[in-house]
């Protein structure tokens, strides 16, 4: 792992860091010099990510964490403080998706999506901000989505949760800017992760997905992670309260083209 000074001396908690965007962000942050708490409910995968970082010369610790539990959110912050001395960056990234239209969405579906996607980041931010205040400032990144702006079919609960995250980031930016705490909603488009595997694992659908992207391919987790590293760094000191779209240009494409069904 090539060490950089972009995040040198910073301590980060990343939720949902056992796979996908979270795992890529943990690797990139560590390579950029940060000490990382890899937080996830997936114990074996999360431990593997932390061990990979350590064996490559980085600093990382795994913590089993259900973001929908306030106690777990607090423990993630406590781990950063006790293990690495403080907290500078929170990447509230954990999330789930249920592909259902409103009338097909059960109350338990709705509650589950909101618990992980919206309540979870709220609890993590609530736990992280006091630690950042003690540190003299910090950066909060919240993984929202382009679906927080425009909705694809059958994503009611997911889209509502992601729209809420954009407002959460903006509210934090307004309320805690005086404490030198920045907050940004990171809004990916289609990314090649386990969440999108049901669509992208089919070769025909992957070709279709690639064809919809102006850049010619669906996103790779590390492409999102590199933007997250910039936003977490002091180079982004004037970026707060923003929703940063990282989607290969797909949100610029007319909806009629985006959602053309595969025959």
């Amino acid at each position: 792992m090539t060490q950089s000074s972009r995040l040198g001396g910073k301590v980060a908690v990343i939720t949902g860091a056992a796979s996908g965007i979270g795992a890529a962000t943990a690797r990139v942050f560590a390579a950029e010099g940060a000490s990382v708490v890899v937080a996830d409910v997936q114990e074996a995968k999360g431990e593997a990510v932390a061990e990979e970082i350590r064996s490559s010369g980085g600093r990382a610790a795994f913590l089993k964490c259900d973001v929908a539990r306030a106690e777990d959110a607090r423990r993630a912050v406590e781990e950063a403080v006790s293990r690495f001395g403080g907290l500078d960056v929170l990447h509230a990234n954990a999330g789930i998706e249920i592909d259902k239209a409103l009338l097909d969405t059960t109350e338990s579906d709705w509650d589950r999506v909101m618990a992980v996607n919206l309540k979870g980041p709220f609890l993590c931010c609530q736990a992280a901000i006091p630690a950042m205040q003690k540190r003299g400032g910090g950066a909060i990144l919240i993984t929202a989505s382009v679906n927080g702006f425009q909705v694809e079919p059958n994503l009611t609960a997911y889209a509502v949760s992601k729209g809420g995250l954009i407002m959460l980031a903006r509210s934090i930016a307004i309320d805690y800017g005086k404490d030198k705490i920045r907050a940004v909603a990171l809004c990916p488009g289609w990314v090649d992760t386990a969440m999108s595997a049901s669509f992208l694992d089919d070769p025909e659908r992957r070709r279709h997905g690639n064809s919809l992207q102006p850049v010619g391919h669906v996103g790779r987790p590390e492409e999102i992670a590199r933007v997250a590293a910039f936003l977490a760094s002091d180079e982004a000191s004037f970026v707060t309260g923003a929703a940063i779209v990282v989607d290969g240009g797909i949100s610029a494409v007319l909806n009629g083209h985006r959602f053309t069904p595969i025959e």
Side-chain angles (χ1 to χ4, degrees):
M1 181 177 290
T2 302
Q3 294 293 326
S4 163
S5 61
R6 171 180 271 181
L7 298 177
K10 294 190 184 296
V11 180
V13 169
I14 303 170
T15 67
S19 61
I21 292 170
T25 302
R27 295 184 186 104
V28 170
F29 276 24
E32 296 279 8
S35 301
V36 178
V37 175
V38 175
D40 204 293
V41 292
Q42 301 179 86
E43 194 164 358
K45 289 183 177 180
E47 288 278 16
V49 171
E51 177 55 34
E52 177 190 337
I53 290 170
R54 290 192 297 266
S55 63
S56 299
R59 302 180 72 201
F62 170 73
L63 181 74
K64 187 173 183 179
C65 176
D66 178 352
V67 296
R69 291 168 45 90
E71 180 182 349
D72 283 16
R74 287 193 298 268
R75 286 196 307 114
V77 173
E78 289 166 0
E79 179 74 6
V81 173
S82 63
R83 181 72 68 99
F84 300 122
L87 180 65
D88 303 288
V89 181
L90 168 67
H91 186 186
N93 168 74
I96 60 173
E97 179 180 306
I98 293 177
D99 299 345
K100 292 183 179 181
L102 186 142
L103 293 182
D104 298 321
T105 301
T106 66
E107 184 177 359
S108 61
D109 289 335
W110 180 271
D111 288 347
R112 181 167 170 249
V113 171
M114 295 303 158
V116 177
N117 289 10
L118 196 52
K119 179 184 174 183
F122 159 73
L123 292 173
C124 289
C125 292
Q126 199 169 56
I129 287 170
M132 291 181 177
Q133 288 170 323
K134 291 177 183 177
R135 196 81 154 166
I140 293 173
L141 312 179
I142 302 174
T143 301
S145 169
V146 293
N147 292 127
F149 300 101
Q150 54 190 59
V151 186
E152 298 176 57
N154 303 317
L155 284 178
T156 299
Y158 178 80
V160 170
S161 72
K162 295 301 184 177
L165 291 178
I166 294 170
M167 291 302 113
L168 177 61
R170 288 175 172 165
S171 295
I172 291 168
I174 291 169
D175 291 341
Y176 298 100
K178 65 184 184 300
D179 298 316
K180 301 189 186 313
I181 294 172
R182 297 183 296 107
V184 177
L186 187 60
C187 301
W190 292 11
V191 182
D192 197 354
T193 66
M195 187 180 290
S196 58
S198 61
F199 184 87
L200 295 175
D201 280 355
D202 178 86
E204 173 88 11
R205 288 182 177 274
R206 179 175 289 274
R207 283 193 293 273
H208 179 68
N210 288 341
S211 73
L212 298 182
Q213 315 291 321
V215 297
H217 67 86
V218 297
R220 295 181 287 269
E222 58 271 20
E223 291 179 302
I224 313 302
R226 288 193 288 268
V227 176
F230 163 72
L231 293 172
S233 76
D234 294 339
E235 296 171 31
S237 60
F238 203 55
V239 182
T240 192
I244 305 297
V245 175
V246 190
D247 71 346
I250 194 170
S251 59
V253 180
L254 290 174
N255 283 352
H257 174 59
R258 283 186 62 192
F259 305 132
T260 301
I262 302 171
E263 298 298 333

